[in-house]
Amino acid sequence: MHKLRSLSVATLAEVLSGLLTRLKSTGGRPAAPLGSRILTNHDDIFKHNMWDHVQWTEEDKENARQKAEENSSVQIPLKEQEFPELLPSDAKSQATNRCPDDQQAEYPLPSGSDRETRQHSCHTHHHRNTDSSHRQESCQGAALEKNEAAIQTSFPGQHASFRILEVGCGVGNSVFPIVNSIKETGAFLYCCDFSSRAIQLVKDHPDYDDSVCHAFVHDICEEMASFPFPPQSLDVIMAVFVLSSIHPERMQGVVNRLSTYLKQGGTFLFRDYGRYDFSQLRFKKGRCLSENFYTRGDGTCVYFFTKEEVHDLFSKAGLEEIQNLEDRRLQVNRGKKVVMQRVWMQSKYRKL
C-alpha cells in the first residue's frame, strides 16, 4: 500500500506545514527544529541567524505601533492607486490608462525563497464599458460551465488518492521538495501562479514530473477563471505569502472560491506577514495605500495581518480553526550586526 494512503489529511497537512515553514524561513537550508532555538542570554544574540518564540516587551509593541502609524500617515490618494475596479465611477476613467493592457503582465520573479515579491494580479484588471463587460462575462460564464463539465469526467491527477494545491507557487521553491517527497505515494500536486514566465520555469525544471505534478497559469483574483480540477476534489490547499499581495477588499472572495475546491475535512494551510513585521516598519512615508496595506517599489503590494483578521477571513469561508499562530522570531544579520523583529502568521483551517 502506498504510504500516504494510510495518513490522515491532518497528518499530511502537518508534514507540509512544517516543510513550508522551514523552506520559507531558511531558504531551503537545514535548520534547527522550529521552536528549539530560544535566546536566553542576550550576549549570544549574534551566534545564530534566527531565534524562535521571541517575546515582545510593551516598549517593543509601542515602538512598532508608532512606526507603523508614522509610515502610514501619508496615504496614496485613491484616484492614483492602480485598482480601477475599486475606484468611484468618476475616478475610473482617469486611472484606467495607468493599468497594463496585458492581462498576463509579469511580476518581477522572486530573488529568494522568502518571495518578498509576489504575484499582484489586482494591478492588471481593466475597467470596461457596461456593454462589453456583460458580453465578456456571458462568454466567460459559458466557457467556465463547459470547462467544468469536461473537468468532471477527466482532469490531471484524477486517479490520485490525495491532492494538494499550492497557490502562488512562483518559480517552485516549495514545489520540488514536495514533488520529490510524494513520488510513488498516490498523491498529486497542483501548483499555479499568475506569472506565465514563472510557470514555464517550473515546467522546465529537471525535477518537474507531470505524473505527480501539474503546473498552470491562474489569476486567483479573476472570478471567472476555472481550475483544472472539480470542486471538492482537494485534500490540502497552501497559500504561502500570497494573500497579502491582494487588495484587502478582494481577499474574502479569493478564500471563498478556493475553499469550494476542498473536500470535506480538507485543510487550508496559510502562512503570511503579521502585523508590525520588520518589513512593515521599514516602509517610508508615501508607500501606504490603506491601513496596513503598502506598495513596494517594484509595484507589488503587501498587507500585514492580525490573528483576528485571519480567523475572520477563513471562518467566513466556512472553515474551522485548527491552528492560528503568530510566529514571532528574531532575525539577525551577523555581518552588519542588525537585529530584526519578524512576525509571520501560521494558520490551519479545516473544511467542515
Side-chain angles (χ1 to χ4, degrees), residues 8-270:
S8 67
V9 172
T11 302
L12 183 56
E14 194 78 33
V15 173
L16 291 172
S17 182
L19 173 65
L20 289 172
T21 300
R22 289 168 62 85
L23 285 170
K24 301 307 170 188
S25 302
T26 69
R29 298 185 296 274
L34 176 62
S36 66
R37 187 168 284 166
I38 309 298
L39 180 63
T40 56
N41 184 348
H42 196 269
D43 292 337
D44 294 334
I45 192 168
F46 294 108
K47 186 176 179 180
H48 297 290
N49 293 329
M50 190 82 73
W51 298 94
D52 297 323
H53 300 321
V54 175
Q55 299 298 316
W56 285 30
T57 64
E58 290 302 317
E59 183 180 2
D60 289 333
K61 295 176 184 177
E62 180 58 23
N63 288 340
R65 188 194 65 77
Q66 289 182 7
K67 286 182 180 179
E69 184 177 291
E70 180 182 353
N71 69 20
S72 61
S73 61
V74 178
Q75 295 188 1
I76 300 174
L78 186 61
K79 65 181 181 180
E80 295 180 15
Q81 297 180 23
E82 296 184 5
F83 298 97
E85 73 282 1
L86 300 172
L87 297 178
S89 57
D90 59 347
K92 286 184 179 181
S93 59
Q94 300 176 37
T96 300
N97 291 333
R98 289 192 293 273
C99 295
D101 289 331
D102 183 6
Q103 288 282 356
Q104 297 297 331
E106 305 286 319
Y107 67 90
L109 289 179
S111 58
S113 63
D114 196 30
R115 292 187 297 183
E116 292 267 345
T117 56
R118 297 296 312 156
Q119 65 175 352
H120 188 53
S121 60
C122 293
H123 272 193
T124 68
H125 290 276
H126 298 232
H127 170 61
R128 306 173 180 89
N129 65 59
T130 304
D131 291 340
S132 61
S133 293
H134 286 170
R135 285 196 299 271
Q136 183 172 22
E137 287 176 5
S138 177
C139 292
Q140 286 178 330
L144 184 58
E145 289 179 5
K146 183 177 179 180
N147 288 340
E148 288 185 342
I151 288 171
Q152 295 291 340
T153 57
S154 177
F155 61 95
Q158 61 180 316
H159 300 301
S161 58
F162 200 96
R163 301 188 190 95
I164 308 158
L165 167 66
E166 182 184 5
V167 180
C169 65
V171 295
N173 293 324
S174 303
V175 169
F176 298 108
I178 296 173
V179 164
N180 292 330
S181 68
I182 65 174
K183 288 182 177 179
E184 300 181 0
T185 64
F188 193 90
L189 173 68
Y190 303 96
C191 55
C192 66
D193 200 278
F194 177 72
S195 168
S196 57
R197 184 182 172 199
I199 291 299
Q200 190 58 53
L201 289 173
V202 170
K203 291 182 175 181
D204 291 342
H205 194 282
D207 288 343
Y208 184 74
D209 183 349
D210 59 12
S211 69
V212 293
C213 181
H214 179 68
F216 59 100
V217 178
H218 188 87
D219 178 1
I220 58 174
C221 283
E222 178 53 63
E223 296 181 13
M224 301 304 296
S226 62
F227 285 95
F229 41 77
Q232 300 186 49
S233 61
L234 301 176
D235 294 278
V236 174
I237 294 176
M238 301 180 294
V240 182
F241 296 101
V242 173
L243 295 184
S244 56
S245 68
I246 298 171
H247 194 286
E249 292 186 20
R250 308 194 105 191
M251 288 181 191
Q252 190 64 62
V254 169
V255 174
N256 290 350
R257 288 192 295 277
L258 288 172
S259 298
T260 64
Y261 290 91
L262 277 176
K263 296 177 181 176
Q264 290 186 4
T267 304
F268 202 127
L269 302 179
F270 169 78

Side-chain angles (χ1 to χ4, degrees), residues 312-331:
D312 286 346
L313 193 62
F314 289 97
S315 296
K316 289 177 180 177
L319 305 183
E320 174 189 35
E321 180 182 314
I322 303 173
Q323 172 186 294
N324 188 21
L325 302 176
E326 283 183 329
D327 182 3
R328 293 181 178 269
R329 303 196 197 183
L330 196 65
Q331 192 172 14

